[in-house]
Amino acid sequence: MGYEGKVPVNNDILTHHPDGQGEVMAHAVDACVHCGFCLPACPTYALLGDEMDSPRGRIVLMKEVLEGALPLYDAAPHLDRCLGCQACVTACPSGVPYGELITSFRGWSEPQRQRSPLDRAKRAAILKILPAPRVFSLAARVGQFAKPLAPLLPNALRSPLDLLPEHVPAMQPSAAFTPARGQRRGRVAFLVGCAQQALTPNFNAATLRVLARNGIEVVIPEGQGCCGAAALHTGARDEALKLVRANLAAFNPDDFDAILSNAAGCGAGLKEYPAILHGLPDEAQARAFAAKVQDISEYLGGLLEDGELEPVLPASRPLTVAYHDACHLAHAQGVRSAPRALLRAIPGVTVLEVPEGDLCCGSAGTYNLEQPELATQLGIRKAKNILSTQPDLIASGNIGCHTQIQSHARRQGSPVPVMHTIEVLDLAYRGEL
Amino acid sequence: MTSGKVAQPEKQALTPAVGTGLPRSKGGSLHPLAATLTRTLGPRKVLSNLSERLNYRYDAIAFGATPLAVVLPESTADVVAAVKAARAAGVPIVGRGAASGLSGGAAPTEPGLVISFTRMTRLEIDAARREARAQPGVITLAVTEAARPHGLIYPPDPASFRTSTIGGNLGENAGGPLCFKYGVTGDYVQGLEFVDAEGDVHTLTRDTYDLAGLLIGSEGTLGLITEATLRLTVPPRFTRTLMAHFAEVGACAEAVSAAIAAGAVPSKLEFMDRACTNAIEDYLHLGLPREAEALLLVDTDGDDLETVEEERALVEAACRNAGGTVRRAESDAEAAQLWQARRSVSPALGRIRPQRMNEDIVVPRSVLPEVVREIRALGDASGLHLVQFGHIGDGNLHPNILFDPRTESLEAVHELAHEVARVAIRHGGVLSGEHGIGSMKLAFMREAVDAETLAALWRVKHALDPQGALNPGKVLPPELA
């Protein structure tokens, strides 16, 4: 946000919203030159083919609403369909921080929305259950038994059940401290995430093993919680602020070389803290915090680049791995080459590129719960594209993509294993790949 | 470049599909035209809410009047129905593709009906005839992607080719880097189907009166193109890419003139000045020379590797003689990155100033050095932020004035734009090479085209669109009484 002191030119948003969030939105709108380069990058434009469901169209709609020229209810259906995947940010030559814009806009607009009681209850339930791994685990295990009933249920209840794996594992809480193996070369803090603790506990276990193997000691600071991204991206700003501040209190960036996340959505959320707190007293603290945040693949990729990554054992046979770019890793954090380089560092592994690789899988946080129809179309398309490469293995770096891809690949009859990049690396270190 | 293939586009073009029955926004009272259209065409093809209409009033350079209704036709018959309804209601009709145009061509000058062709995306390749039949909503790049498995390509490559549509390209007669060697959109048209101002459908070939030629570049002011038969070509077997940079813009233009005079026929010859290079670097971080005053990107191509490399050597020598520093692209990936950089120039300029006035002049190659120097000097003297880039091989330059309307005078911006247009006219040039006239360059038309010729063009307009219903306020300045 290098715009302090600059006055926006193409909009009047600051007049109507003279605060930190107004500033974030005004400057994002100002940066848009409406060239349309974002259109072919946008999943909803690809599906719907109309301007309102494109990033450029949405920027115009948000501007009109913020300036009071368009009622919120008129623009809302189109803004709600935005996945927040930020593929448009990658495609944008003029540097529009679209992610910050839509996040801030949702935070501002949500309290004014008139939603049905059922809708309200559903959203509240999502935001209660998702950040609480124990509750989530319980819900998931109950849901597991309800799965056969899914076809009989209304859409709102069916979509979360469809995404549940056949087997929900038991929770495995991670140790608060994992010592380095061998010579200690670094010290990091780790954000354990929410849904993945319940659904895929091996993501965290593998992360800790690989870091320790590389001489990195890992601290899981007490008092940490949900990163707040789910709340923030659905407009529950007050809820999000509580979570953000709890994490700022739990993690002292000066104590660590890096603050790591192994969920692309969470890592991107942590990196958003300065924008969320823009204009508030703890903005500087958020900046210091965000400067230390890295995705696990970004951090290990750094070690690899410096020639400091512990050598990995070769795969037992030549293995093709289709790597899926999580939007919140590739588009929101710009991390593309590191995970590929890590996979390629395993002798015997060939990384396959997925057609339409920049297009979101439809998971997008809570999107597959809120917009199941579009999410399903994108999920089917993603699974088809991935499977077209005929991989031995599918790797990605985000729990949301993981469940979405797994669920759609299975429905298309494919048994190909779906893993987190770190799990592939972990298996290779153990000689089990 | 190490391998001999033409650089593949690094990403695929996504063709938008037809919309679903998702919830629509609610709001605004229905205009009678929207009500009629909804009855005739069904609600899925008609947009009437304010949020929807607000999104169909702009292109990539200008905002226009909010339309009364928008139709998203799926067939020629839908277009006919829409035109007839608009005519009955007595409102103007503006055709629209992806609205990535840079002349204001698709931004309505008054409230009316916008017909957006983005859902007419049928595309058929006839490999034996080396032809593509495309509806107007087909994405430009999608034609080449569909043709490539048959060993064919569609050369016109406007910078926005992932976004832009064939219909929009026809409307503005779009060019692109490849047009120096391979020609512009109009050079690839074998035939057209169009709907006239009365709603009648016609099929045109290029023999008899070349009415198709007249429609190409007419920006929807003479008729609405509903299908095009496009010529496909066999791609060259080899492509070589180089980049050269110069300490002065005129030296770059001298290198271009000298290379062409020496017999080189590069497929692309693209120039950008220092400000452009820096805006691109801020976006893509490719390590381009930020200090150079001018950057030249060149492709040579052909089926004979020796000739292709000879041509590249000719360009290299011309660049060095003009004081340039030359670097060859070492891989397809590097070449693809350089061309992505070039395509991103125009929107990346938004990083420098939020608004701009862009030009599209074409001047004879022989006067290029003087022209770029004169324009540079005008910019320096004005105190405004003027940058230049463009398809320098065919003398097509895009001087852009970047400005902040709150701190810089609009009159000064217009005056500078006018001065730049005068430089082109004085050197025997024209105002538009590929963007079209739209609304952005209307003000200079009376100087660029003499009164008798304008009167003749108006007679053509009246013959094809007697009521003046088709995209009013574009291409031709108002008739003098």
Side-chain angles (χ1 to χ4, degrees):
Chain A
M1 282 170 293
Y3 49 65
E4 279 73 9
K6 278 202 213 166
V7 180
V9 166
N10 291 331
N11 65 75
D12 209 16
I13 294 170
L14 273 178
T15 315
H16 301 264
H17 307 273
D19 58 7
Q21 292 304 291
E23 216 168 69
V24 169
M25 295 187 281
H27 285 90
V29 170
D30 210 39
C32 177
V33 298
H34 47 99
C35 65
F37 274 42
C38 53
L39 268 57
C42 178
T44 55
Y45 184 73
L47 293 179
L48 304 171
D50 56 52
E51 185 79 20
M52 303 78 70
D53 295 300
S54 77
R56 176 175 66 176
R58 291 188 179 109
I59 290 171
V60 170
L61 293 182
M62 285 187 265
K63 169 185 181 289
E64 300 289 346
V65 171
L66 290 168
E67 290 176 343
L70 178 70
L72 174 62
Y73 66 82
D74 197 338
H78 307 295
L79 302 176
D80 287 349
R81 271 175 222 150
C82 170
L83 296 124
C85 71
Q86 302 193 44
C88 51
V89 173
T90 300
C92 177
S94 40
V96 177
Y98 178 88
E100 293 179 6
L101 172 62
I102 188 89
T103 299
S104 299
F105 185 89
R106 284 176 173 168
W108 165 76
S109 62
E110 187 55 35
Q112 307 167 49
R113 294 289 292 273
Q114 294 177 344
R115 294 185 181 275
S116 70
L118 186 68
D119 211 11
R120 243 172 233 291
K122 183 176 146 187
R123 292 168 66 84
I126 291 172
L127 292 182
K128 275 274 174 295
I129 294 173
L130 209 58
R134 280 170 208 290
V135 183
F136 189 104
S137 178
L138 187 68
R141 272 184 276 172
V142 172
Q144 188 175 217
F145 296 106
K147 221 170 146 58
L149 303 174
L152 307 172
L153 297 172
N155 222 342
L157 291 173
R158 197 170 63 209
S159 44
L161 288 182
D162 277 349
L163 288 166
L164 277 182
E166 297 298 331
H167 168 70
V168 178
M171 287 266 292
Q172 302 170 11
S174 307
F177 179 77
T178 306
R181 267 176 64 177
Q183 196 203 341
R184 194 190 87 151
R185 292 189 297 170
R187 173 180 161 85
V188 299
F190 181 54
L191 180 95
V192 289
C194 302
Q196 60 183 17
Q197 285 196 71
L199 293 178
T200 53
N202 191 49
F203 285 14
N204 286 355
T207 301
L208 296 177
R209 281 193 293 269
V210 170
L211 285 169
R213 176 88 178 207
N214 277 281
I216 311 297
E217 67 180 28
V218 189
V219 178
I220 298 177
E222 214 179 319
Q224 66 166 289
C226 170
C227 66
L232 197 66
H233 296 157
T234 49
R237 184 170 157 84
D238 291 343
E239 195 70 38
L241 279 176
K242 279 185 214 142
L243 297 166
V244 167
R245 288 185 168 132
N247 281 332
L248 286 180
F251 290 85
N252 180 359
D254 296 336
D255 285 351
F256 306 103
D257 301 333
I259 298 166
L260 300 185
S261 160
N262 62 3
C266 306
L270 299 180
K271 289 179 181 178
E272 264 188 302
Y273 283 11
I276 301 166
L277 294 175
H278 178 59
L280 299 175
D282 33 13
E283 183 180 356
Q285 195 190 350
R287 274 184 207 288
F289 171 88
K292 282 276 169 80
V293 174
Q294 283 191 301
D295 182 73
I296 181 71
S297 64
E298 202 178 359
Y299 183 76
L300 292 173
L303 294 183
L304 177 66
E305 215 175 281
D306 297 339
E308 285 176 12
L309 190 81
E310 282 292 315
V312 190
L313 295 172
S316 56
R317 60 188 174 95
L319 211 60
T320 54
V321 179
Y323 177 72
H324 161 76
D325 276 309
C327 294
H328 282 100
L329 204 48
H331 299 307
Q333 302 186 59
V335 178
R336 293 181 185 82
S337 56
R340 289 175 169 81
L342 288 171
L343 291 168
R344 280 198 203 99
I346 306 169
V349 164
T350 308
V351 177
L352 304 175
E353 291 300 320
V354 176
E356 296 188 345
D358 283 339
L359 198 69
C360 179
C361 68
S363 168
T366 57
Y367 193 84
N368 50 13
L369 305 178
E370 303 214 10
Q371 301 274 347
E373 195 176 322
L374 291 172
T376 301
Q377 287 184 43
L378 289 169
I380 292 170
R381 188 156 166 171
K382 178 59 72 183
K384 268 190 190 148
N385 276 321
I386 293 177
L387 295 174
S388 77
T389 67
Q390 299 185 302
D392 298 322
L393 201 67
I394 300 166
S396 85
N398 193 39
I399 173 68
C401 311
H402 181 92
T403 48
Q404 174 85 342
I405 290 167
Q406 193 163 47
S407 136
H408 283 283
R410 296 296 172 269
R411 256 181 264 175
Q412 288 175 30
S414 166
V416 178
V418 184
M419 290 182 163
H420 193 295
T421 311
I422 198 75
E423 290 185 296
V424 183
L425 215 56
D426 177 47
L427 283 180
Y429 272 121
R430 289 145 49 122
E432 292 171 17
L433 187 65
Chain B
M1 289 174 62
T2 45
S3 76
K5 286 250 192 78
V6 169
Q8 296 270 339
E10 66 271 29
K11 285 180 210 158
Q12 286 170 303
L14 288 176
T15 301
V18 171
T20 64
L22 290 172
R24 291 275 291 275
S25 59
K26 308 177 255 312
S29 57
L30 205 58
H31 188 271
L33 172 64
T36 310
L37 286 164
T38 307
R39 266 197 310 279
T40 322
L41 295 169
R44 211 164 60 93
K45 298 177 188 172
V46 184
L47 305 178
S48 53
N49 297 326
L50 183 57
S51 62
E52 298 168 331
R53 293 182 287 115
L54 283 171
N55 271 168
Y56 286 83
R57 74 185 201 275
Y58 51 79
D59 69 0
I61 193 79
F63 274 73
T66 304
L68 303 169
V70 179
V71 166
L72 296 161
E74 290 168 19
S75 66
T76 301
D78 290 347
V79 179
V80 169
V83 168
K84 289 192 166 159
R87 293 311 307 279
V91 306
I93 302 161
V94 179
R96 186 186 195 264
S100 54
L102 288 167
S103 65
T109 52
E110 50 189 285
L113 176 67
V114 165
I115 300 182
S116 169
F117 287 95
T118 48
R119 287 183 186 168
M120 284 180 68
T121 55
R122 199 181 62 238
L123 172 65
E124 291 159 13
I125 305 292
D126 186 335
R129 299 177 66 158
R130 293 191 179 174
E131 279 179 2
R133 266 163 50 117
Q135 283 187 321
V138 169
I139 304 286
T140 311
L141 182 58
V143 181
T144 281
E145 284 180 353
R148 214 182 271 283
H150 305 282
L152 297 167
I153 57 165
Y154 171 68
D157 60 343
S160 56
F161 67 178
R162 282 180 211 297
T163 303
S164 67
T165 61
I166 289 296
N169 292 169
L170 289 163
E172 304 294 346
N173 198 9
L178 276 173
C179 67
F180 171 55
K181 184 170 179 180
Y182 293 100
V184 294
T185 303
D187 295 317
Y188 288 84
V189 175
Q190 316 265 53
L192 293 179
E193 176 193 89
F194 84 103
V195 175
D196 70 16
E198 304 300 323
D200 294 326
V201 184
H202 308 275
T203 307
L204 305 171
T205 51
R206 303 300 298 262
D207 46 14
T208 70
Y209 294 135
D210 187 9
L211 184 50
L214 196 54
L215 284 168
I216 296 161
S218 72
E219 307 187 18
T221 61
L222 302 177
L224 294 162
I225 295 168
T226 47
E227 188 179 282
T229 305
L230 304 168
R231 185 164 59 86
L232 303 172
T233 64
V234 178
R237 286 178 60 207
F238 304 101
T239 301
R240 294 289 179 269
T241 301
L242 76 83
M243 181 176 86
H245 60 91
F246 300 84
E248 190 256 325
V249 286
C252 173
E254 277 165 12
V256 169
S257 300
I260 296 169
V265 188
S267 54
K268 302 177 184 171
L269 260 171
E270 295 292 316
F271 144 74
M272 61 180 94
D273 70 8
R274 181 176 172 159
C276 297
T277 306
N278 280 282
I280 286 297
E281 265 306 285
D282 290 343
Y283 171 41
L284 293 173
H285 316 290
L286 296 176
L288 300 174
R290 283 182 180 268
E291 302 304 313
E293 286 298 325
L295 197 74
L296 191 65
L297 286 178
V298 186
D299 264 8
T300 59
D301 70 10
D303 292 336
D304 177 49
L305 185 56
E306 211 173 309
T307 315
V308 174
E309 292 196 328
E310 260 171 37
E311 281 196 315
R312 177 162 71 171
L314 282 177
V315 179
E316 276 183 16
C319 289
R320 291 212 172 88
N321 286 341
T325 307
V326 177
R327 199 181 98 200
R328 294 178 172 199
E330 295 300 336
S331 66
D332 284 359
E334 189 185 346
Q337 272 188 336
L338 290 173
W339 288 114
Q340 192 202 349
R342 167 58 189 90
R343 281 196 299 277
S344 306
V345 168
S346 174
L349 294 174
R351 291 169 183 266
I352 299 174
R353 286 284 196 285
Q355 288 186 10
R356 64 183 171 147
M357 182 91 183
N358 69 336
E359 304 210 40
D360 181 32
I361 58 171
V362 186
V363 297
R365 252 190 321 270
S366 54
V367 297
L368 269 174
E370 290 122 275
V371 168
V372 294
R373 282 180 182 132
E374 277 180 40
I375 292 174
R376 181 69 268 147
L378 281 173
D380 292 342
S382 71
L384 290 165
H385 207 102
L386 180 141
V387 308
Q388 302 188 77
F389 64 97
H391 316 295
I392 197 165
D394 39 17
N396 184 194
L397 297 172
H398 300 314
N400 271 244
I401 305 161
L402 314 173
F403 65 99
D404 182 334
R406 297 195 188 183
T407 55
E408 285 157 326
S409 133
L410 274 177
E411 288 87 63
V413 170
H414 280 281
E415 187 43 43
L416 178 58
H418 210 141
E419 286 295 331
V420 169
R422 283 192 196 111
V423 172
I425 295 166
R426 193 166 63 241
H427 285 281
V430 297
L431 295 185
S432 174
E434 57 174 6
H435 295 167
I437 300 296
S439 53
M440 298 297 288
K441 291 162 205 109
L442 272 187
F444 318 137
M445 279 299 276
R446 287 195 207 286
E447 284 166 70
V449 184
D450 65 79
E452 287 70 27
T453 308
L454 277 178
L457 296 177
W458 266 113
R459 285 198 290 279
V460 171
K461 166 77 176 169
H462 291 316
L464 286 164
D465 178 23
Q467 314 292 323
L470 297 176
N471 207 2
K474 304 294 166 61
V475 188
L476 298 179
E479 269 181 303
L480 298 174

